[in-house]
Amino acid sequence: MNPEVTVRKAELEDEVPIEVLMSTYFLDIEGTEIDDFVVATIDNRMVGAACLEIGKIPEIHSIAVHPNYRGKGIGRLLLDSLIADIEEQEFLFTRTTSPAFFEKAGFIRLDDTEKKELWDDCAGCNRFNNCKQSVLRLEIKKR
């Protein structure tokens, strides 16, 4: 029997466990707000977290699932929770080194040059030509 996964808005006491989980994948969450996160728990133990930032564009900033719980649909539950919160948006974007995960969820890969137009930090990055991140977009209104 699989334990039940609960997805909920992050709370202040989730901050350190989120930082630990994200550091497992070397994800930088500096400058993000706890209010922008959702977390997945099993038996009150955090097994995943995801961050949605709505600035210039709506962006999945970070998403991570504990290595022992990968491949069980938890990432998709987190993603669906974030998407449900922004149904008034036309598109959702992400920069990722794991494009296959997002493509399975309906995101389409964009040309790398789009990064410079969408993210100011990409426009001025001296490592742009060697960047390992793909840029993807999900059309929200057609889901």
Side-chain angles (χ1 to χ4, degrees), residues 2 7 22 29 32-33 36-37 40 45 51 53 55 57 61-62 70 79 81 84 90 98 138 141:
N2 288 338
V7 176
M22 294 295 167
I29 58 170
T32 58
E33 300 291 328
D36 294 334
F37 281 88
R45 180 175 184 263
C51 178
E53 288 190 336
I57 59 168
H61 181 278
S62 303
R70 291 186 62 176
L79 185 59
S81 176
E90 188 174 352
S98 301
L138 178 69
K141 298 204 177 198

Side-chain angles (χ1 to χ4, degrees), residues 32-90:
T32 58
E33 300 291 328
I34 195 70
D35 293 342
D36 294 334
F37 281 88
V38 293
V39 297
T41 62
I42 296 176
D43 297 328
N44 294 320
R45 180 175 184 263
M46 185 183 302
V47 296
C51 178
L52 171 72
E53 288 190 336
I54 300 179
K56 178 179 162 186
I57 59 168
E59 171 190 10
I60 301 291
H61 181 278
S62 303
I63 187 166
V65 175
H66 188 283
N68 293 348
Y69 294 91
R70 291 186 62 176
K72 300 181 184 315
I74 295 169
R76 183 58 190 255
L77 289 172
L78 289 164
L79 185 59
D80 288 347
S81 176
L82 295 178
I83 292 168
D85 284 345
I86 63 157
E87 289 182 342
E88 72 282 355
Q89 299 288 329
E90 188 174 352

Side-chain angles (χ1 to χ4, degrees), residues 65-123:
V65 175
H66 188 283
N68 293 348
Y69 294 91
R70 291 186 62 176
K72 300 181 184 315
I74 295 169
R76 183 58 190 255
L77 289 172
L78 289 164
L79 185 59
D80 288 347
S81 176
L82 295 178
I83 292 168
D85 284 345
I86 63 157
E87 289 182 342
E88 72 282 355
Q89 299 288 329
E90 188 174 352
F91 296 107
L92 177 61
F93 295 88
T94 192
R95 293 177 282 185
T96 182
T97 56
S98 301
F101 168 78
F102 291 96
E103 288 171 328
K104 284 194 278 186
F107 283 72
I108 58 166
R109 200 179 303 218
L110 303 176
D111 189 84
D112 282 347
T113 58
E114 299 264 351
K115 285 190 274 192
K116 288 185 175 187
E117 295 176 28
L118 295 169
W119 290 280
D120 294 338
D121 58 334
C122 287

Side-chain angles (χ1 to χ4, degrees), residues 95-99 109 112 115 127-135:
R95 293 177 282 185
T96 182
T97 56
S98 301
R109 200 179 303 218
D112 282 347
K115 285 190 274 192
R127 296 176 298 177
F128 182 81
N129 292 329
N130 296 320
C131 184
K132 303 287 187 234
Q133 291 184 327
S134 298
V135 60

